[in-house]
Amino acid sequence: MYAPEKTDVAGIAYYGLFALQHRGQESCGIVVNDDGVFFSHKDLGLVSQVFDGESLSRLPQGTMAVGHARYGTTGANNRNNCQPIEVNHKKGRMALAHNGNLSNAAVLRSQLELSGAIFHSTSDTETIAYIVTRERLRTGSIEDAVSAAMESLDGAYSLVLMSPQKLICVRDPYGFRPLCYGRREDGAYVVASESCALSAVGAEFIRDVEPGEMLVFGKDGVTSRREHCGTQKKKLCVFEYIYFARPDSVIDGRSVHAARVDAGRILAKAHPAEADLVVGVPDSGLDAALGFSRESGIPYGIGLIKNKYIGRTFISPGQEARLDQVKIKLSAIEESVRGKRIVLIDDSIVRGTTSGRIVKLLRDAGAKEVHMRISSPPFLHPCYYGTDIDSCENLIACHHSIGEIADIIGADSLGYLPVSELGVLAGTGDYCKACFDGSYPTPVPADTRKDRFERRLSERGEE
């Protein structure tokens, strides 16, 4: 947020983070700029756990703030990796928040360390901060430094960066991750990953930041720099429409809700089923279930209830955590499903454990048949751009046929969205589907492990 006069930027950022909680549940933080002096509060946990009245009151009023809710794809879930990353340097302070994942993070970090750099975290975000700071020594201005840093960065990065006098946002040339901005009635500009966060803080949506574009917010207003625009073909992550984004968001002109409804319609045509009721898995399966029902003529019903105080299991780190959360996250409505043939719609099957548990919930509630339909294709490849799938090891579709997966999860039948239909979701042909077909837009990194900067001595060998 960039405000023309001092105001409660921390409080506004707090509500914005609430609207984006679905994008990350590991940690969160806010940094406030009060006349060039930075004040921050960061910790592990949800927004409601990290911030309360006391912690917010310790953050002063200011003209700028940067907030972040972390979903880690590089580096462990610890306090050192909480964002925004803060830098204190002779050329000025800086706070940086990052959504995405650098595909060349390991190469860059190795080069920096061999030249004398010292890192305090194991996230790729600190690598970005270091390169920007290095370029600032050479170029002078913060915006020139960010532009120069982009020449070294590969992969996905939507950034919000705060200096003592300016707020800068930038989207990588591929546009892997969304970024947009708007304006409040008091004249304050707000930048966010999704348009739903703009609405939450009373900002009117202006437009999406274009791939490769940099916006600089300062005393002279908003400046757009486009020297990196058009240098790569746009590759928005299609999984944003399938899972990540909130259904009330609009990304690159495409309604997330409409995209998911269309996915359901496609599923009904591609994999019809004789059934009595269509049930969606809350929350990201509900819209597709509605589309399946409309296309098939099978009634749509509420068969599963979600505990609103439990987060998203796909982005919970660790297998045991996912299993434990499924047990208390969902419950079946016996009255709705007893004795019926159910079409169960979910957004994806990654490891299969969650799907098996949900199918069992319906069986235990008396469902006669359960036909599972997935509003995405099978996950067959790792993601290097911000989805926490760093290897094929735990991807059930890499090791089993569709029929075998149906047996494993206990479904009577199973159908996936055809890869050829993904363009319908994105509303364009310019999207990344590498996790489904292996067509990566950037070179594949040699070391893809999430913990590649945290290896034990026994794993390193001679160095």
Side-chain angles (χ1 to χ4, degrees):
M1 179 180 177
Y2 183 94
E5 297 179 358
K6 279 190 179 184
T7 188
D8 182 20
V9 287
I12 296 169
Y14 168 74
Y15 287 113
L17 289 184
F18 256 115
L20 295 174
Q21 183 72 88
H22 60 285
R23 297 191 68 86
Q25 300 172 189
E26 295 181 17
S27 62
C28 61
I30 295 174
V31 181
V32 171
N33 183 340
D34 178 14
D35 195 23
V37 180
F38 289 9
F39 300 83
S40 65
H41 182 72
K42 295 175 280 188
D43 209 341
L44 302 177
L46 303 175
V47 176
S48 60
Q49 296 168 327
V50 172
F51 291 98
D52 55 21
E54 182 180 351
S55 58
L56 283 170
S57 68
R58 289 197 296 267
L59 296 175
Q61 290 196 342
T63 54
M64 284 183 270
V66 174
H68 186 267
R70 184 172 189 256
Y71 163 49
T73 52
T74 297
N77 182 24
N78 58 48
R79 285 182 173 83
N80 288 338
N81 288 334
C82 293
Q83 294 188 40
I85 294 285
E86 295 178 76
V87 175
N88 291 308
H89 194 268
K90 180 179 178 64
K91 296 293 287 186
R93 297 173 182 266
M94 182 174 69
L96 175 68
H98 169 211
N99 177 30
N101 197 62
L102 296 185
S103 54
N104 64 338
V107 173
L108 292 176
R109 186 176 177 120
S110 177
Q111 293 172 350
L112 292 168
E113 288 177 334
L114 291 174
S115 66
I118 298 173
F119 289 87
H120 299 282
S121 76
T122 54
S123 76
D124 53 342
T125 307
E126 190 176 9
T127 301
I128 299 174
Y130 197 100
I131 293 175
V132 171
T133 301
R134 183 188 65 183
E135 294 295 341
R136 199 170 182 183
L137 290 172
R138 186 177 63 84
T139 62
S141 74
I142 183 66
E143 55 264 49
D144 286 343
V146 173
S147 180
M150 292 174 69
E151 300 287 347
S152 303
L153 307 179
D154 230 353
Y157 54 92
S158 284
L159 307 174
V160 180
L161 185 151
M162 183 171 68
S163 74
Q165 298 186 64
K166 296 174 183 177
L167 183 73
I168 296 173
C169 71
V170 62
R171 192 175 177 190
D172 70 75
Y174 294 96
F176 282 111
R177 296 294 159 197
L179 196 64
C180 62
Y181 80 105
R183 193 175 188 182
R184 286 163 45 96
E185 288 186 355
D186 60 8
Y189 287 99
V190 181
V191 181
S193 290
E194 293 182 37
S195 58
C196 65
L198 302 183
S199 301
V201 299
E204 183 179 352
F205 175 86
I206 295 178
R207 65 175 175 88
D208 293 286
V209 180
E210 295 183 24
E213 184 181 19
M214 179 196 310
L215 293 178
V216 183
F217 302 86
K219 293 180 179 179
D220 298 328
V222 186
T223 303
S224 171
R225 293 187 51 161
R226 303 174 56 84
E227 57 263 33
H228 295 284
C229 292
T231 57
Q232 303 291 347
K233 185 178 180 181
K234 183 180 176 182
K235 290 292 180 181
L236 173 69
C237 172
V238 75
F239 206 50
E240 289 285 348
Y241 295 110
I242 295 167
Y243 175 83
F244 274 125
R246 241 171 61 169
D248 55 330
S249 288
V250 176
I251 296 177
D252 289 350
R254 174 67 162 150
S255 162
V256 175
H257 166 74
R260 292 176 183 169
V261 170
D262 285 344
R265 293 184 188 277
I266 295 167
L267 273 173
K269 294 177 181 179
H271 302 288
E274 292 187 6
D276 307 304
L277 192 70
V278 180
V279 171
V281 177
D283 286 314
S284 47
L286 298 178
D287 305 87
L290 184 62
F292 192 103
S293 173
R294 288 175 177 173
E295 183 65 35
S296 67
I298 302 171
Y300 170 84
I302 305 298
L304 293 167
I305 292 295
K306 177 185 175 183
N307 184 331
K308 293 181 173 59
Y309 302 97
I310 297 296
R312 306 184 83 171
T313 55
F314 176 79
I315 60 177
S316 299
Q319 181 74 358
E320 290 185 7
R322 278 186 291 271
L323 283 170
D324 290 341
Q325 289 192 37
V326 169
K327 294 177 182 178
I328 59 175
K329 176 182 176 180
L330 295 173
S331 58
I333 302 176
E334 187 174 335
E335 180 67 25
S336 297
V337 304
R338 189 193 307 118
K340 293 180 180 176
R341 299 168 298 173
I342 304 297
V343 177
L344 179 64
I345 310 290
D346 205 356
D347 58 81
S348 59
I349 299 179
V350 182
R351 303 159 188 89
T353 51
T354 299
S355 300
R357 176 65 185 173
I358 296 171
V359 171
K360 187 176 185 301
L361 280 176
L362 294 176
R363 298 274 194 204
D364 292 346
K368 187 178 179 181
E369 297 176 7
V370 180
H371 301 274
M372 194 152 199
R373 299 294 181 264
I374 304 300
S375 59
S376 66
F379 272 112
L380 295 171
H381 305 275
C383 174
Y384 311 123
Y385 311 117
T387 304
D388 191 13
I389 304 173
D390 59 359
S391 74
C392 296
E393 181 181 352
N394 293 319
L395 296 178
I396 192 171
C398 287
H399 310 288
H400 300 280
S401 67
I402 292 177
E404 289 172 340
I405 296 172
D407 290 338
I408 291 170
I409 66 176
D412 292 282
S413 67
L414 173 63
Y416 287 90
L417 187 81
V419 175
S420 59
E421 299 287 357
L422 283 171
V424 176
L425 273 68
T428 174
D430 301 329
Y431 58 90
C432 178
K433 59 182 188 304
C435 54
F436 303 124
D437 69 357
S439 56
Y440 295 103
T442 67
V444 176
D447 190 348
T448 63
R449 296 172 301 171
K450 178 178 179 178
D451 63 348
R452 56 190 175 274
F453 301 134
E454 297 156 329
R455 291 179 296 167
R456 291 177 170 84
L457 291 174
S458 59
E459 299 172 325
R460 295 183 182 181
E462 293 185 9
E463 292 187 351

